[in-house]
Amino acid sequence: MPPRQQDSIFMDVDSDSDVSILGDGDGDYSRTKGKGKGKATDKRKKDKGKAKAKDQAYTWEASYTRSWDTVQEDEAGSLQGAVEDWMARGRRRRLLAPAAAIRRTIIRHLILLLDLSASMMDRDMRPTRFDLSLQYAREFITEWFDQNPLGQIGVVGMRAGIGERIGEMSGNPQDVLKSIADRHKLEPTGEPSLQNAIEMARSSMSHLPTHSSREILVIFGSLTTCDPGNIHDTLDACVKNKIRISVVALAAEMKICRELCDKTGGQFGVAMNEGHFKDILFESVPPPAQRAVSRAAGPGTANPAADLMMMGFPTRLPDTSPPSLCVCHSEMKSEGFLCPRCMAKVCDVPTDCDICGLMIVSSPHLARSYHHLFPVKPYQAVSSLEDMPDPATGCHACARIFPTTPSTAAATEGMSPLGRYRCTDCHNDFCTDCDVFVHDVIHCCPGCGK
Amino acid sequence: MEKASHLSVIVDLSPTQWHLSAQADNQYPLSIQTFLSQLLAFLNAHIASQHENTLAVFGALPGKSVMLYSSTEVLADDAAAPDANSYPPFKAVDSTVVQRMMYEFDAFKDVEEEAPCALVGALAKALCYINRITHPSTSPGGAAEDPSILPDPRILILSVSPDLSSSYIPIMNSIFSAQKLKVTIDVCKIYGPDTVFLQQAAHLTNGSYIYLERRDALLQYLIMSFLSPPAIRKVLAVPKQDKIDFRAACFCHKNIVDVGFVCSVCLSIFCQPVPVCSTCRTKFPIKTLQRLNASRPSLAPTSSRNTLPLANLNNATPRPTPPRNVNGGTPGLR
C-alpha cells in the first residue's frame, strides 16, 4: 500500500495540545508530559507517531517515546518543575480562550451515548474501558449539573446492534446517576450501531425549543459500526435539527466519527490514557459558544436562538412547617418548595412543576451561569521588575511571599519566572495558585472585585 | 475536638456606617472602639479554644480590602514589646490588628463621595487564603502539611453596610466557590438593613445569619453563635435563618416577582413579556410574546405577596422589616 499521509490528520486529533508538532524529541517529550498527569506511560502498542511523521512514512518506523524521561526531577529531587509546567499549559490554554464574553447557550439538553459493545471489555484502561467510562460518566454528570443547573441529560446505550434508552432526559442529577448506577443492567455485549443510537437520540430531542442547545456526547470504544441504512442521511438530519455531536474515542479515530463532529460543529478527541480521557470528556462541560446566525433575512429579524421563557421562583418551606405530600414522589415531607402558580409542593429545584408545567428555578441557579457571560480577564505574566517602582512583596490575595530571585526553570511562554501575574485592571500581583484559583473557581478578581 | 479549625474574619470598616452606628439616637449605639474591644476578646477566645486553631483577619475599606492579621505570616512590623502581664499570642493578635487598622485609617484621603465598601474583594481574598492553606502545593519554603489534620475552614462576616447591587454576581460566584471548598460562611449584621445577599450566602453554605437586636451585647452573640466550629454544630445548635427569600427582582422595575420572564441569552428577568431584552438587546419572536401574554396567570394583588407569606416560626417577636427600597438596583435578587 502506498504510504498514506494519515499522520498529519492523526496528529490533529489532540485538540488541546498547544505545543507545535516539531520533528524533534523535545516537542514530543513536553507534549506527553502535559498529558500524562501521573499516568505517563502509553499503553498502546502502536506508536501514535507524534514527532516523527515528517521523517518516516510509517509510524511504526519511528522509535517509541520514552515517556518516563518527560518527568524530570530537579537537583533536590522534587517534581515541582513538572507540576508548574503542567499549570503553565493550563494557563496557556486559557489565554487562547477568548477573554471577552461571547454568547453562549445556557439552556442545554445533552444526550450521553455510551458504547456498550463487546470492545468495551478490553483491559487497556484499568480495570476495563467500560468500568472506567462509567466512573468518568458519573463524575462528568455531577460536574455538568454543577456548571449547568438549567440543563437536562438523557442516557442512551449502544448494545447488540440497537440503541437502548437507559435514562430519560431529566434535570435532576440524582435521577440520571441512578439510571446508570446498576452495572449489571449495562453489561456490554454485541456490536455497536452508531446510526440507531443517534437516531434514537435525535428523535427524543426533536420536540425541544430552538433556544436551547441540543447536544450528543458519544463515548465510543470500538472500531466498527453496524448500521441498517446510510449513516450520512442521519448526519444530514442532525445538521438540519441543529444537533451538535461530540465524540470521545477510546480506540482510534474513525473517519465517520470525525465527520459527525466536523459537520455538526462538535469536538472530536481520541483518548491516549486515563487522564487524557477525563480531560477530553470534561471539555464538554462549559456551555458551547453560540453559532453565528446568518443575516440573510435582513436586519431586524429575531435571533431564532433567543427566546423569552416563563419561570417561577419558589418559596422555600422550612423544616418546621407542617408535613404534606409532595407532588413528585407522593411522600410525606415537611420541607420543600412551593410552585408560585399552582402552590404545589415539589422536593427539589430546578424542576418542572408536575401539576402546571411551570419551570421552577431559584435565583442562585440563574446566578451560577452568570460567570460564563462575564468572565474574568486573564492575568499577564510579569517577566521583569524593572519598570515597577515599588513591587509588592506578597501575593495580593493570599499574602504568599514572592521569590525574590527569578527561578531557573526554563521560562516557557505564559509562565512568569518570578511567579507573579498581574491583573490589567487593578494592577495587583498574584501568585500562581491564586491565578489558577481565581480563573477556575471564583471567577472574580480579589483586587477589582468584578 | 482533635481537628484544628480555621477562622477568617472579615470586618466591614466603612467610616460613614460606623459613624451612624455610634450616634446616640440609635436604640443601642455601638461605637467602633467598643466594637473593637469585643471583637478582640472573641478572636482571643478562638485562639484559646485549641492550640492548633488558625486565624486570619481581613478589613473591608471603601475601595480596597487588606489583610490585617494572619497566623501563618510573620509580618515585619510586628515587634510587640514583651509584656509580662499579657499572654503573648493574644497580645500578638491584638496589637497587629489594631496597628494595621490605625495605619489604614490614617491613610484615608478626604474625598467627596466615599467609595463603596469592598466586601466582595475581602471575601475573595479570604477564599484564596483558605485555598492556599488547605491545598498546599509544592512551593519553596512552604511547610508540608499533614493531610489528616486539615483545618475545617469558616468565614465570619461582620457587616454594617447595606447591599451593593453591583456586587451581586461576584458574591454569588464567591458563594459557589465556598461551596466547592466546603467553607461555612457566617454573617453577623451589626448595623444597617437586612442584606439579602449575605442571607443567601449563609444559607447556601450552612452557616448562620444573625441580625443583632441588642448591639451592646455583641460579645455574647459572637461567642454563642460563631465560636463553635462546624463539626461541633451538629451537637451545639446555632441559630439560623430559616425564611430565605429566594425570589428574584425584575430588572425593569425592581419588583419582587414570583413568576418572571427570562431571556435565554443573558438570563435577565422581566416582570412582563417585553419585545426586546434591555440587557443584551435580543429581539424575541412575536409568537412567543403572544403565547406568553395569553397564558400569563392573573396574579393576586402583588401587595399581598410582598409581605412575608409565612410566619417567622423561629423568632418569637417579628422584627420590624426595613423599607424595601433602601437597596439600589439589584440584578437578579434584592
Side-chain angles (χ1 to χ4, degrees):
Chain A
M1 276 198 291
R4 287 166 292 178
Q5 286 310 309
Q6 214 177 354
D7 300 322
S8 54
I9 309 173
F10 202 56
M11 279 191 285
D12 289 342
V13 159
D14 299 313
S15 53
D16 59 343
S17 162
D18 309 317
V19 179
S20 60
I21 314 297
L22 304 171
D24 52 349
D26 283 336
D28 183 8
Y29 290 161
S30 47
R31 177 122 84 91
T32 42
K33 188 185 352 179
K35 299 293 179 299
K37 272 211 297 188
K39 280 277 184 184
T41 48
D42 193 358
K43 288 194 169 43
R44 315 227 170 273
K45 294 222 175 11
K46 67 177 178 210
D47 186 352
K48 299 271 177 175
K50 302 219 186 334
K52 309 292 187 269
K54 292 199 174 87
D55 302 338
Q56 287 94 14
Y58 291 108
T59 58
W60 60 82
E61 291 178 17
S63 66
Y64 57 88
T65 63
R66 284 192 289 256
S67 48
W68 55 88
D69 279 349
T70 65
V71 181
Q72 308 275 1
E73 288 184 0
D74 60 13
E75 57 271 7
S78 81
L79 291 174
Q80 178 193 343
V83 169
E84 282 181 13
D85 202 14
W86 169 69
M87 296 212 321
R89 260 154 240 297
R91 278 180 45 84
R92 206 183 326 161
R93 209 177 307 162
R94 219 178 27 241
L95 287 177
L96 293 178
I102 57 175
R103 207 175 257 194
R104 297 180 188 265
T105 26
I106 303 289
I107 317 279
R108 304 171 69 185
H109 297 269
L110 172 75
I111 298 242
L112 189 61
L113 226 57
L114 295 174
D115 184 0
L116 299 176
S117 63
S119 58
M120 291 298 275
M121 299 308 284
D122 199 338
R123 291 184 171 272
D124 60 353
M125 293 197 185
R126 299 283 159 220
T128 56
R129 285 184 194 169
F130 169 62
D131 285 325
L132 193 68
S133 304
L134 268 194
Q135 180 197 335
Y136 282 163
R138 273 184 228 119
E139 289 174 23
F140 172 77
I141 289 173
T142 320
E143 180 71 17
W144 195 90
F145 275 111
D146 191 53
Q147 296 289 322
N148 303 281
L150 299 175
Q152 296 189 345
I153 290 189
V155 185
V156 170
M158 292 190 274
R159 180 158 57 169
I162 53 172
E164 285 182 21
R165 203 184 296 273
I166 297 176
E168 293 288 334
M169 187 158 292
S170 153
N172 190 350
Q174 301 307 321
D175 288 344
V176 182
L177 288 174
K178 205 180 345 184
S179 64
I180 59 169
D182 196 354
R183 204 184 156 275
H184 300 288
K185 271 200 273 197
L186 301 171
E187 205 58 44
T189 54
E191 300 269 338
S193 169
L194 262 185
Q195 185 181 10
N196 284 334
I198 292 186
E199 275 293 333
M200 177 175 273
R202 189 181 64 83
S203 55
S204 61
M205 290 207 284
S206 56
H207 65 281
L208 293 175
T210 47
H211 61 261
S212 67
S213 86
R214 309 169 196 183
E215 297 156 41
I216 298 181
L217 177 62
V218 187
I219 300 183
F220 198 53
S222 92
L223 291 171
T224 64
T225 167
C226 299
D227 297 332
N230 189 355
I231 194 170
H232 291 92
D233 293 340
T234 313
L235 177 54
D236 291 338
C238 286
V239 171
K240 203 158 59 133
N241 286 357
K242 296 196 182 47
I243 296 181
R244 202 185 284 236
I245 304 181
S246 302
V247 174
V248 177
L250 302 179
E253 174 177 340
M254 281 170 66
K255 186 170 191 324
I256 184 60
C257 295
R258 165 72 74 175
E259 225 178 87
L260 281 174
C261 298
D262 287 346
K263 286 235 176 88
T264 54
Q267 302 279 345
F268 178 78
V270 178
M272 285 198 290
N273 47 44
E274 286 89 337
H276 190 218
F277 178 21
K278 193 168 180 185
D279 280 346
I280 310 183
L281 198 58
F282 276 49
E283 265 180 23
S284 309
V285 167
Q290 208 173 63
R291 278 175 280 200
V293 173
S294 63
R295 295 265 170 234
T301 47
N303 184 355
D307 203 1
L308 202 55
M309 299 170 296
M310 189 152 75
M311 289 189 183
F313 300 104
T315 330
R316 185 178 164 268
L317 291 175
D319 294 348
T320 46
S321 48
S324 60
L325 294 177
C326 70
V327 296
C328 28
H329 312 107
S330 299
E331 281 174 4
M332 190 76 133
K333 271 196 193 175
S334 293
E335 53 190 9
F337 295 87
L338 289 183
C339 168
R341 192 157 68 168
C342 63
M343 294 306 203
K345 184 160 93 167
V346 291
C347 294
D348 207 3
V349 291
T351 186
D352 291 326
C353 172
D354 284 309
I355 306 291
C356 63
L358 179 66
M359 193 185 322
I360 305 180
V361 280
S362 63
S363 23
H365 290 126
L366 288 181
R368 193 177 269 287
S369 309
Y370 285 151
H371 72 86
H372 294 298
L373 305 169
F374 310 107
V376 186
K377 288 205 194 106
Y379 291 161
Q380 307 286 339
V382 169
S383 39
S384 73
L385 287 175
E386 286 138 9
D387 49 349
M388 278 190 56
D390 187 19
T393 49
C395 166
H396 188 68
C398 65
R400 187 201 302 259
I401 310 289
F402 286 129
T404 42
T405 56
S407 81
T408 50
T412 45
E413 195 185 304
M415 276 272 287
S416 158
L418 300 160
R420 285 171 187 257
Y421 299 91
R422 184 166 303 155
C423 170
T424 45
D425 284 336
C426 58
H427 306 291
N428 287 313
D429 292 342
F430 299 95
C431 65
T432 328
D433 285 338
C434 289
D435 183 23
V436 173
F437 185 65
V438 164
H439 284 98
D440 281 342
V441 185
I442 295 195
H443 305 286
C444 156
C445 173
C448 349
K450 289 207 230 319
Chain B
M1 268 207 298
E2 295 96 11
K3 286 194 168 190
S5 158
H6 171 81
L7 171 68
S8 279
V9 182
I10 299 179
V11 188
D12 182 351
L13 293 170
S14 149
T16 15
Q17 293 296 118
W18 277 112
H19 175 72
L20 290 173
S21 165
Q23 300 292 40
D25 52 355
N26 287 333
Q27 196 178 10
Y28 294 105
L30 183 73
S31 69
I32 196 166
Q33 291 89 340
T34 335
F35 162 72
L36 266 183
S37 60
Q38 303 195 16
L39 173 69
L40 291 176
F42 170 70
L43 296 177
N44 292 345
H46 171 78
I47 299 179
S49 310
Q50 208 175 341
H51 182 69
E52 295 91 358
N53 278 353
T54 47
L55 176 69
V57 183
F58 297 86
L61 301 153
K64 67 171 179 172
S65 53
V66 287
M67 174 188 264
L68 298 173
Y69 171 80
S70 118
S71 47
T72 53
E73 304 296 326
V74 177
L75 296 172
D77 52 351
D78 197 23
D83 185 359
N85 279 337
S86 64
Y87 184 48
F90 291 175
K91 182 127 172 71
V93 175
D94 295 351
S95 54
T96 316
V97 170
V98 173
Q99 269 177 17
R100 293 294 310 271
M101 247 190 233
M102 290 297 132
Y103 176 75
E104 295 297 330
F105 286 156
D106 288 338
F108 273 159
K109 299 189 204 21
D110 215 1
V111 285
E112 275 293 320
E113 191 179 314
E114 186 180 289
C117 188
L119 186 65
V120 65
L123 187 54
K125 283 204 176 77
L127 286 169
C128 286
Y129 182 74
I130 289 179
N131 175 53
R132 173 182 150 203
I133 59 175
T134 52
H135 299 107
S137 64
T138 54
S139 62
E145 316 242 347
D146 191 351
S148 66
I149 318 182
L150 281 181
D152 203 2
R154 62 192 197 279
I155 296 182
L156 169 63
I157 303 182
L158 301 162
S159 160
V160 293
S161 327
D163 268 335
L164 198 59
S165 59
S166 62
S167 64
Y168 174 63
I169 295 177
I171 285 193
M172 296 310 285
N173 285 333
S174 312
I175 295 175
F176 300 135
S177 42
Q179 281 180 332
K180 210 178 269 192
L181 289 177
K182 300 201 186 13
V183 172
T184 314
I185 298 184
D186 298 319
V187 179
C188 181
K189 191 81 184 115
I190 300 176
Y191 178 79
D194 258 334
T195 47
V196 192
F197 299 164
L198 296 180
Q199 273 185 354
Q200 293 220 321
H203 176 257
L204 290 172
T205 54
N206 282 334
S208 84
Y209 174 93
I210 309 258
Y211 180 89
L212 290 197
E213 310 276 352
R214 296 287 306 259
R215 280 194 279 277
D216 46 346
L218 171 67
L219 185 57
Q220 195 168 342
Y221 280 103
L222 289 177
I223 292 192
M224 176 181 78
S225 320
F226 302 124
L227 190 58
S228 42
I232 301 289
R233 291 186 189 187
K234 298 190 195 73
V235 180
L236 192 66
V238 296
K240 287 195 190 191
Q241 182 103 359
D242 245 354
K243 174 91 192 45
I244 311 285
D245 199 351
F246 274 127
R247 296 179 298 178
C250 71
F251 281 42
C252 35
H253 311 108
K254 311 291 179 271
N255 298 335
I256 313 272
V257 288
D258 284 330
V259 176
F261 299 92
V262 177
C263 165
S264 67
V265 174
C266 62
L267 299 183
S268 14
I269 307 170
F270 303 103
C271 48
Q272 51 203 357
V274 285
V276 177
C277 169
S278 54
T279 323
C280 62
R281 276 180 269 286
T282 334
K283 296 190 181 47
F284 302 120
I286 308 282
K287 280 196 298 197
T288 319
L289 296 172
Q290 289 169 343
R291 174 171 55 89
L292 290 177
N293 267 322
S295 75
R296 205 153 58 119
S298 55
L299 298 170
T302 44
S303 56
S304 66
R305 298 236 181 157
N306 279 348
T307 57
L308 302 177
L310 298 173
N312 204 335
L313 296 167
N314 282 344
N315 296 354
T317 54
R319 186 170 65 242
T321 47
R324 291 211 169 206
N325 288 333
V326 170
N327 309 338
T330 57
L333 185 74
R334 284 188 65 253

